[in-house]
Amino acid sequence: MSRSAHPAGPRHADVLPEGHYTAPPADLNALDSKVWAQTVGRNDDGVVTVGGIDVKTLAEQHGTPAYVMDEDDFRARARAWRTAFGQDADVFYAGKAFLSRAVVRWLHEEGLNLDVCSGGELATALSAGMPADRIAFHGNNKSPEEIERAIRAGVGRIVLDSFQEIVRVAHIASSLGKRQRVQIRITVGVEAHTHEFIATAHEDQKFGIPLAGGQAAEAVRRALQLDGLELIGIHSHIGSQIFDMSGFEVAAHRVVGLLREIRDEHGVELPEIDLGGGLGIAYTSGDDPREPHEIAKALTDIVGRECEVARLRTPRISVEPGRAIVGPTAFTLYEVGTIKPLDGLRTYVSVDGGMSDNIRTALYDAEYSVALVSRTSDAEPMLARVVGKHCESGDIVVKDAFLPADLAPGDLIAVPATGAYCRSMASNYNHVLRPPVVAVRDGEARVIVRRETEEDLLRLDVG
Ligand SMILES: *Cc1c(COP(=O)(O)O)cnc(C)c1O
């Protein structure tokens, strides 16, 4: 896989990757429930609807491109995670996947906790009324100001990511006359089966303190000595878009090993263990994610078993799903602008957004699917590449997908499973305005993040 930047100009006509779609799907009008939000369907006219509203109405009222989020689906997924883990565990939604005040309220109402990793995310969470003790503060380089704000606000935990931070947080807490609840993030030497650039627990990376060489044990030793800190547990996050639970098994084994070492050396049994997030979702029909209850059972069993062997009291488990909650709840609605057929190769379909609203394809070679949503079609399938309007040939939204051959400018198409890491990673490249997030429920659409305007852009440009 090439990670090199490609300057403007034609990209090589790379053919479909091995194992990718070799044939078009049987029915181009079908909407696979694996990749679309729960309330998505087609009405009698063949127009796609979500939350009881059709996409033509959404496009008229809110414009395109737009992220359309199914509120019922979001709440259902949040609740499924909460229920699956029960009262003896905590579910922290990873705010970096997508955060807005409406989402914070939904999470609060559904009984979830929240991970933040910057002052901006903390401000959003607090301003929407998330109780501070249900917030965890993450990050490998939190500023002293961010740490102070988090401690003053009373966040439930700060996840310490380095030796410097152990001292820094302890010092700031002490100077405020507080004792801050903390976890230590360790890297356990597990590489999750996923794209190299989104795997995060092998040790050659910026996050966490390596378990190897006794470093994690040394971090615990130091944290236990500092008055400003109350060490409540160990944290491990092994990657993203993971389908295979074996990585968690190894991680849990090693984390529990550390808990045992801590008990043997210090006579303390840390009460919590956080296994992070990273659970995969279906971006295409080829992906097969696990259900929250299966994941909960697998993780609880692993930790229980490991603790029994180590003769430890089973700690309270927490998990941090981001993508698995918000990812499938939204699609991006685009209007087709231009269409360029290249005979024998593929057809380029340009939409009114692109890498500014979905950087994941360019950044991670992520795969997405796409469908014609403003009507049905009986035309033949054509191999299409959905591209954006940016001045960059790597501006690809969907690399390879089939769309009907009668696709025309003005048609609406939608890319499902864009709820996570799309709006939150959106940019203003080419001074393109970031799309709104429109939440739909019971026949009503509500803008929860409005579309950016040219005034917004110019306000930052002080001349
Ligand atoms: C990114 C991240 C998550 C969430 O990852 P998803 O793939 O969205 O589930 C959870 N915990 C930590 C520490 C993270 O960095």
Side-chain angles (χ1 to χ4, degrees):
M1 181 176 315
S2 163
R3 291 286 312 165
S4 56
H6 30 83
R11 262 196 130 190
H12 293 289
D14 37 331
V15 289
L16 289 174
E18 227 179 304
H20 203 295
Y21 311 118
T22 46
D27 178 3
L28 278 181
N29 298 312
L31 300 165
D32 186 346
S33 62
K34 253 204 281 185
V35 296
W36 293 89
Q38 279 172 14
T39 70
V40 168
R42 285 191 193 267
N43 67 16
D44 294 344
D45 299 326
V47 182
V48 166
T49 66
V50 56
I53 310 180
D54 74 83
V55 293
K56 284 182 163 178
T57 305
L58 287 167
E60 270 161 33
Q61 294 180 348
H62 302 283
T64 54
Y67 304 101
V68 181
M69 187 169 282
D70 181 341
E71 179 179 342
D72 278 336
D73 192 22
F74 185 101
R75 287 178 179 273
R77 286 176 202 276
R79 212 174 304 135
W81 277 89
R82 189 75 208 86
T83 310
F85 278 87
Q87 292 311 308
D88 298 327
D90 297 301
V91 181
F92 285 78
Y93 168 79
K96 70 180 192 214
F98 173 69
L99 197 65
S100 80
R101 289 192 275 194
V103 158
V104 173
R105 279 184 221 109
W106 301 344
L107 292 165
H108 187 187
E109 286 165 20
E110 301 299 341
L112 274 75
N113 298 356
L114 179 62
D115 272 0
V116 300
C117 64
S118 71
E121 288 184 358
L122 178 63
T124 304
L126 292 173
S127 81
M130 179 58 84
D133 63 357
R134 283 169 52 186
I135 298 174
F137 201 99
H138 274 275
N140 65 302
N141 189 17
K142 309 166 188 80
S143 72
E145 293 75 25
E146 287 173 325
I147 293 168
E148 180 172 338
R149 256 170 90 194
I151 295 174
R152 279 187 192 278
V155 298
R157 65 173 71 152
I158 294 180
V159 181
L160 303 173
D161 207 276
S162 64
F163 281 97
Q164 287 87 358
E165 204 164 75
I166 294 171
V167 179
R168 221 169 263 166
V169 172
H171 177 76
I172 295 172
S174 295
S175 69
L176 294 171
K178 296 212 185 193
R179 191 146 185 262
Q180 177 62 46
R181 289 159 59 86
V182 296
Q183 291 189 339
I184 292 176
R185 177 166 175 175
I186 67 167
T187 48
V188 293
V190 172
E191 189 170 343
H193 294 173
T194 182
H195 192 292
E196 180 184 7
F197 281 82
I198 44 181
T200 61
H202 52 109
E203 286 170 351
D204 184 7
Q205 54 144 317
K206 72 172 187 170
F207 291 110
I209 296 175
L211 188 60
Q215 291 194 64
E218 176 59 22
V220 168
R221 212 167 285 138
R222 294 191 195 174
L224 286 173
Q225 284 167 2
L226 292 164
D227 290 339
L229 305 181
E230 179 189 348
L231 181 62
I232 57 166
I234 299 297
H235 180 284
S236 150
H237 171 72
I238 58 169
S240 273
Q241 188 58 3
I242 304 167
F243 293 105
D244 179 356
M245 297 300 285
S246 60
F248 287 101
E249 199 145 337
V250 179
H253 174 73
R254 297 191 180 162
V255 171
V256 172
L258 178 62
L259 293 183
R260 189 184 46 202
E261 248 184 83
I262 295 167
R263 180 208 46 207
D264 294 347
E265 183 181 339
H266 307 281
V268 196
E269 291 196 27
L270 296 184
E272 293 188 19
I273 135 174
D274 190 312
L275 293 171
L279 297 140
I281 63 164
Y283 284 103
T284 71
S285 295
D287 295 328
D288 255 318
R290 303 270 194 110
E291 293 293 324
H293 66 88
E294 295 174 271
I295 294 163
K297 179 162 184 347
L299 295 183
T300 315
D301 286 354
I302 296 166
V303 173
R305 213 179 320 122
E306 292 293 334
C307 288
E308 203 176 307
V309 173
R311 308 245 212 125
L312 283 163
R313 267 194 306 277
T314 304
R316 189 174 178 87
I317 298 175
S318 47
V319 287
E320 306 175 316
R323 182 195 322 262
I325 292 177
V326 71
T329 68
F331 58 78
T332 314
L333 185 61
Y334 298 106
E335 185 178 306
V336 174
T338 61
I339 296 178
K340 178 171 84 167
L342 292 178
D343 284 346
L345 204 53
R346 73 180 88 249
T347 296
Y348 280 81
V349 174
S350 297
V351 295
D352 46 358
M355 65 193 299
S356 56
D357 59 69
N358 188 346
I359 191 65
R360 293 192 63 258
T361 307
L363 190 58
Y364 306 124
D365 251 339
E367 288 188 9
Y368 282 94
S369 32
V370 62
L372 171 60
V373 291
S374 48
R375 61 185 174 93
T376 53
S377 166
D378 296 327
E380 290 295 301
M382 69 173 176
L383 179 60
R385 175 164 289 178
V386 179
V387 296
K389 61 181 286 162
H390 295 278
C391 300
E392 156 70 46
S393 56
D395 173 24
I396 297 169
V397 179
V398 185
K399 203 167 170 201
D400 298 298
F402 289 93
L403 282 166
D406 66 349
L407 191 77
D411 278 333
L412 299 175
I413 62 175
V415 175
T418 58
Y421 305 108
C422 286
R423 181 58 181 80
S424 66
M425 287 186 161
S427 76
N428 286 122
Y429 181 41
N430 294 138
H431 285 203
V432 165
L433 305 168
R434 285 177 293 180
V437 181
V438 181
V440 293
R441 188 188 197 188
D442 297 336
E444 267 180 53
R446 188 160 61 96
V447 176
I448 60 172
V449 178
R450 73 160 166 77
R451 185 183 303 283
E452 216 161 22
T453 62
E454 286 179 3
E455 292 78 72
D456 290 330
L457 284 184
L458 291 170
R459 209 171 42 215
L460 300 180
D461 182 335
V462 294

